[in-house]
Amino acid sequence: MSHVAILASGKREQTKVANRRAILDAAREVFSELGYEVATVRDIIRRTGLASGTFYNYFRSRDEVFEALADDGAARFRPILRACWEASNSFDGYLRAAIQAYFDFIADEHETWQTNRPAGERHPQMAVQTPEMERVFEEVRDAFSKAIEHGGAPRVDADYLAAACIAVARQVGDKMLERRPINTVEATDFATKLILGGLPALPRLAPRPEKPHG
Amino acid sequence: MSHVAILASGKREQTKVANRRAILDAAREVFSELGYEVATVRDIIRRTGLASGTFYNYFRSRDEVFEALADDGAARFRPILRACWEASNSFDGYLRAAIQAYFDFIADEHETWQTNRPAGERHPQMAVQTPEMERVFEEVRDAFSKAIEHGGAPRVDADYLAAACIAVARQVGDKMLERRPINTVEATDFATKLILGGLPALPRLAPRPEKPHG
DNA sequence: AGAGGAAGGTGACGCTCTGTCACGCTTTGG
DNA sequence: CCAAAGCGTGACAGAGCGTCACCTTCCTCT
């Protein structure tokens, strides 16, 4: 029996991964069913069959599991974002692809999570700021910076621009999820045109000193 | 002594208002000093000198005080937003005024709140969704709808547009607060130009059936 | 293979916070 | 000035939290 022992060689390692996974899965279920505010560490750990003390070998608190779930979401999305960058050859193309990918992503998550959740309970996905989300932000900003360097976009404040894009994607995304039927194409069209249309109108930064003229 | 007794006639009414105010103030201080996650109902009520049970005559939980604080912020901002609407005579003017007002508002709140708060602790101001914030959203959306009706703006999806504007304002606002010196004008310029520039590029809705031609 | 040690699962325990409630003081209306 | 209602009070029971001494299971070294 050697075919499973690729990454988790020892039994110790295996159970550690399995337990972490089990806790995360249980947490997702419990948050879905009871709502985040009400769910307790005990509710989560009970569902896994593990002892209460074990929980604290993996997470420091209920909040930390929540954050880990959110981080998971961002971590899953980041490679998609990366792929958008690599597949596109223009700034416009990248932006549209990235936004479309994001809306598809959250629409998919939304379906998966559809349970009998109390009222407007927040999803872990995008509610808090996690390290992985910070990286998503940085990736977007860097993509913009590179586009600016290459002349694919005007020389604007990439930091503000990234913040604005992510903000628009998030909020319009949320609104999109509230509508029936969920129309990711319509939302993408809206967000993309807003940003790409606004881009040329943005205030320019002073051009960075370059070699004089050639 | 009749000059104070305008709204709070009886002594009962007076203490009720005073207690609520005291709890809110104490809560703001405690959240600032200890951080939201750590603060307890007891911490808050202790600072007021009231008994623990009294707290529950005013709020159901720590979360509800937090929400009330956030609601307060939105409630203070809404009249400002209203004034922007009434003072401006073009869509562009309204948008710029509203965004500038918002950035000034949060910059001011930011100063007021500056205490030795642990790390990236969230401010109540704009962190959660409260009824008053919902109203702010509706006010913005309605302003957009009216502008569209009057031909001051193209016939676009006002709901998405409002969501996008608020999103941009929030996120760019947050970024703005992280920079030194805080430059509300720069941020306003950025956000305003992004939105106003993007507006003409947005997908149009089918025009609503009007009287045929004049 | 077997022994010794390390890693980590276990659950009872003590502690803190929560939310309630019976009590009594204060205000109000008559 | 009295009766009734309103409301502040703080002790209390219950719940959840995080810890820790113990014990089982796995790993390593000979």
Side-chain angles (χ1 to χ4, degrees), chain B residues 73-120:
Chain B
R76 282 204 311 284
F77 180 64
R78 209 148 63 83
I80 302 179
L81 192 64
R82 173 64 56 111
C84 288
W85 172 253
E86 279 158 9
S88 63
N89 43 20
S90 72
F91 181 77
D92 292 20
Y94 166 64
L95 198 74
R96 178 170 281 272
I99 290 175
Q100 180 75 58
Y102 175 70
F103 287 159
D104 287 343
F105 181 77
I106 63 171
D108 189 58
E109 297 281 296
H110 185 72
E111 261 181 53
T112 308
W113 279 68
Q114 216 50 303
T115 57
N116 47 342
R117 174 203 327 281

Side-chain angles (χ1 to χ4, degrees), chain B residues 3 48 71 74 83 97 133 167 189 199 212:
Chain B
H3 62 290
T48 65
D71 217 47
M133 287 184 196
D189 204 45
L199 194 57

Side-chain angles (χ1 to χ4, degrees), chain A residues 1 4 12-13 26 35 37 40 56 61 64 83 91 95 120-121 129 155 157-158 177-178 180 182 191 194 196 199:
Chain A
M1 225 195 256
V4 195
R12 283 253 141 87
E13 296 298 318
E37 301 294 345
T40 72
Y56 295 97
S61 65
E64 200 172 291
F91 180 77
L95 198 74
E121 194 56 44
Q129 193 66 355
R155 186 169 290 279
D157 190 323
L177 294 180
E178 286 168 14
R180 291 294 175 281
I182 292 178
L194 179 67
L196 288 181
L199 195 57

Side-chain angles (χ1 to χ4, degrees), chain A residues 95 129 133-134 136-142 144 156-171 195 202, chain B residues 103 163-179 187 190-191 194:
Chain A
L95 198 74
Q129 193 66 355
M133 287 184 197
E134 183 57 28
V136 167
F137 173 80
E138 280 165 15
E139 186 145 335
V140 170
R141 191 194 49 205
D142 293 349
F144 289 176
V156 302
D157 190 323
D159 207 51
Y160 274 172
L161 183 59
C165 288
I166 289 174
V168 168
R170 280 202 193 184
Q171 276 310 115
I195 295 164
L202 287 179
Chain B
F103 287 159
C165 288
I166 289 174
V168 168
R170 279 203 193 183
Q171 277 308 117
V172 173
D174 277 2
K175 281 277 165 207
M176 174 190 81
L177 294 179
E178 287 169 14
R179 297 186 179 180
F190 186 94
L194 179 67

Side-chain angles (χ1 to χ4, degrees), chain A residues 71-207:
Chain A
D71 216 48
D72 244 36
R76 282 205 311 285
F77 180 64
R78 209 148 64 82
I80 301 178
L81 192 64
R82 172 65 55 113
C84 288
W85 171 253
E86 279 157 11
S88 63
N89 43 17
S90 72
F91 180 77
D92 292 20
Y94 167 64
L95 198 74
R96 177 170 283 272
I99 290 175
Q100 180 76 57
Y102 175 70
F103 287 159
D104 287 343
F105 181 77
I106 61 171
D108 189 58
E109 297 280 297
H110 184 72
E111 261 182 55
T112 309
W113 280 68
Q114 217 51 303
T115 57
N116 46 342
R117 174 204 325 283
E121 194 56 44
R122 61 176 176 171
H123 292 206
Q125 305 315 1
M126 292 290 152
V128 285
Q129 193 66 355
T130 76
E132 202 60 40
M133 287 184 197
E134 183 57 28
R135 276 162 137 172
V136 167
F137 173 80
E138 280 165 15
E139 186 145 335
V140 170
R141 191 194 49 205
D142 293 349
F144 289 176
S145 292
K146 276 182 201 143
I148 291 172
E149 289 303 316
H150 295 170
R155 186 169 290 279
V156 302
D157 190 323
D159 207 51
Y160 274 172
L161 183 59
C165 288
I166 289 174
V168 168
R170 280 202 193 184
Q171 276 310 115
V172 173
D174 278 2
K175 280 279 165 206
M176 174 191 80
L177 294 180
E178 286 168 14
R179 297 187 179 179
R180 291 294 175 281
I182 292 178
N183 188 338
T184 64
V185 174
E186 180 196 51
T188 302
D189 204 44
F190 186 94
T192 307
K193 284 179 173 164
L194 179 67
I195 295 164
L196 288 181
L199 195 57
L202 287 179
R204 308 302 167 93
L205 299 180

Side-chain angles (χ1 to χ4, degrees), chain B residues 18-193:
Chain B
N19 282 351
R20 192 188 150 87
R21 193 68 260 156
I23 292 173
L24 282 173
D25 289 345
R28 178 151 53 199
E29 287 173 28
V30 169
F31 287 153
S32 285
E33 288 167 24
L34 305 182
Y36 175 72
E37 302 293 345
V38 184
T40 72
V41 168
R42 256 46 177 202
D43 290 330
I44 296 169
I45 203 66
R46 195 177 306 125
R47 188 163 302 214
T48 65
L50 295 169
S52 63
T54 305
F55 177 91
Y56 296 96
N57 287 340
Y58 292 88
F59 301 97
R60 269 200 295 275
S61 66
R62 181 194 62 162
D63 280 13
E64 200 172 292
V65 206
F66 187 82
E67 211 178 287
L69 280 174
D71 217 47
D72 244 35
R76 282 204 311 284
F77 180 64
R78 209 148 63 83
I80 302 179
L81 192 64
R82 173 64 56 111
C84 288
W85 172 253
E86 279 158 9
S88 63
N89 43 20
S90 72
F91 181 77
D92 292 20
Y94 166 64
L95 198 74
R96 178 170 281 272
I99 290 175
Q100 180 75 58
Y102 175 70
F103 287 159
D104 287 343
F105 181 77
I106 63 171
D108 189 58
E109 297 281 296
H110 185 72
E111 261 181 53
T112 308
W113 279 68
Q114 216 50 303
T115 57
N116 47 342
R117 174 203 327 281
E121 193 56 42
R122 61 177 177 170
H123 292 207
Q125 304 315 2
M126 293 290 151
V128 286
Q129 195 66 356
T130 74
E132 201 59 39
M133 287 184 196
E134 184 57 28
R135 276 163 138 172
V136 167
F137 172 80
E138 280 165 14
E139 186 144 337
V140 171
R141 191 195 48 207
D142 291 350
F144 289 176
S145 291
K146 276 181 203 145
I148 291 172
E149 290 302 318
H150 296 168
R155 184 168 292 278
V156 302
D157 190 322
D159 206 50
Y160 273 173
L161 183 58
C165 288
I166 289 174
V168 168
R170 279 203 193 183
Q171 277 308 117
V172 173
D174 277 2
K175 281 277 165 207
M176 174 190 81
L177 294 179
E178 287 169 14
R179 297 186 179 180
R180 291 294 174 279
I182 293 177
N183 188 340
T184 64
V185 174
E186 180 196 52
T188 302
D189 204 45
F190 186 94
T192 307
K193 283 178 173 165

